[in-house]
Amino acid sequence: GENVEQHPSTLSVQEGDSAVIKCTYSDSASNYFPWYKQELGKGPQLIIDIRSNVGEKKDQRIAVTLNKTAKHFSLHITETQPEDSAVYFCAASQSNTGKLIFGQGTTLQVKP
Amino acid sequence: SAVISQKPSRDICQRGTSLTIQCQVDSQVTMMFWYRQQPGQSLTLIATANQGSEATYESGFVIDKFPISRPNLTFSTLTVSNMSPEDSSIYLCSVEDLGYYGYTFGSGTRLTVV
């Protein structure tokens, strides 16, 4: 079955710097890759996603890149702000199954 | 996106008892999912619940422990049966949101078993 590895487990940056979180997946049949942000005491919130027919997607300060050959995808956050501090999860799935396989999570701390 | 309401938001239960968690969606959805998030850990899929059929359980999860109901296209329940402290986790409901072609999560039920 699918396996998703996520790195780093913790990431601390200064406000205004960029943050990059990387994930690798094992199942070449996976074609949908969402990223979720989870704040303390809340459920995961989808922040951006990408499908396998696209190599990059951007939404304001957030971007995701996908390398299907290498089976890895990355989240890029530019101009980080303290409110970006949270746990971020990547996931992979085959879109017709709906089953999301999550990475281990990255705790991002943005220092003011 | 779809709005999901989960009840209860948190509970403290005695070992050996059962708790039923409710998931209500503000729109009709075909696929509903139940996840478990153990303390400080990632999310693990428990089962997929489609209306009108038996839930499909992932490896390591069984119906006797986590019975699921899906009576209509907007509602589902997950029961955690015969609880032990190891069942202390956040239980999350998720739906396939055809409005934006992604998956939305509820805010979760924080369960502590003592």
Side-chain angles (χ1 to χ4, degrees):
Chain A
E2 175 65 279
N3 183 54
V4 178
E5 297 287 335
Q6 182 173 346
H7 299 280
S9 57
T10 61
L11 180 59
S12 182
V13 300
Q14 289 295 135
E15 182 177 1
D17 287 351
S18 295
V20 180
I21 303 170
K22 299 182 178 182
C23 289
T24 60
Y25 62 99
S26 61
D27 190 346
S28 58
S30 291
N31 57 7
Y32 175 65
F33 308 92
W35 285 89
Y36 287 87
K37 176 184 181 181
Q38 187 174 30
E39 297 175 309
L40 199 61
K42 297 184 179 180
Q45 178 187 9
L46 180 70
I47 56 171
I48 196 167
D49 57 10
I50 193 166
R51 298 182 187 274
S52 59
N53 58 344
V54 176
E56 183 174 0
K57 184 176 178 181
K58 192 172 182 180
D59 183 3
Q60 299 182 342
R61 296 186 298 110
I62 295 173
V64 57
T65 58
L66 171 65
N67 183 326
K68 285 191 298 182
T69 303
K71 296 199 191 76
H72 66 71
F73 56 112
S74 300
L75 176 71
H76 305 253
I77 305 174
T78 59
E79 301 172 25
T80 53
Q81 301 166 3
E83 50 266 39
D84 293 330
S85 297
V87 180
Y88 290 81
F89 292 98
C90 64
S93 88
Q94 298 176 42
S95 56
N96 61 336
T97 69
K99 294 165 50 172
L100 294 175
I101 305 302
F102 283 84
Q104 296 86 346
T106 297
T107 300
L108 173 63
Q109 181 186 29
V110 181
K111 299 178 182 177
Chain B
S1 61
V3 176
I4 300 174
S5 299
Q6 265 189 253
K7 292 181 181 179
S9 60
R10 61 179 65 242
D11 208 341
I12 301 173
C13 300
Q14 296 290 323
R15 67 175 67 203
T17 63
S18 298
L19 177 71
T20 295
I21 302 167
Q22 299 180 3
C23 178
Q24 178 76 53
V25 190
D26 69 342
S27 58
Q28 294 185 340
V29 294
T30 301
M31 302 176 80
M32 295 182 77
F33 308 89
W34 288 98
Y35 286 82
R36 181 176 73 182
Q37 187 176 25
Q38 295 178 300
Q41 302 296 314
S42 187
L43 289 80
T44 302
L45 181 64
I46 296 171
T48 303
N50 292 332
Q51 194 263 341
S53 62
E54 294 274 334
T56 302
Y57 289 82
E58 297 300 306
S59 176
F61 298 96
V62 295
I63 187 171
D64 289 346
K65 177 68 176 177
F66 298 101
I68 289 171
S69 78
R70 180 78 200 274
N72 57 52
L73 291 174
T74 64
F75 187 78
S76 178
T77 66
L78 169 75
T79 298
V80 186
S81 303
N82 188 24
M83 289 184 286
S84 66
E86 292 72 36
D87 294 320
S88 297
S89 295
I90 302 172
Y91 292 87
L92 295 142
C93 170
S94 175
V95 302
E96 181 183 25
D97 193 333
L98 297 179
Y100 67 39
Y101 304 106
Y103 298 90
T104 300
F105 283 81
S107 55
T109 295
R110 284 146 186 81
L111 170 63
T112 302
V113 183
V114 297

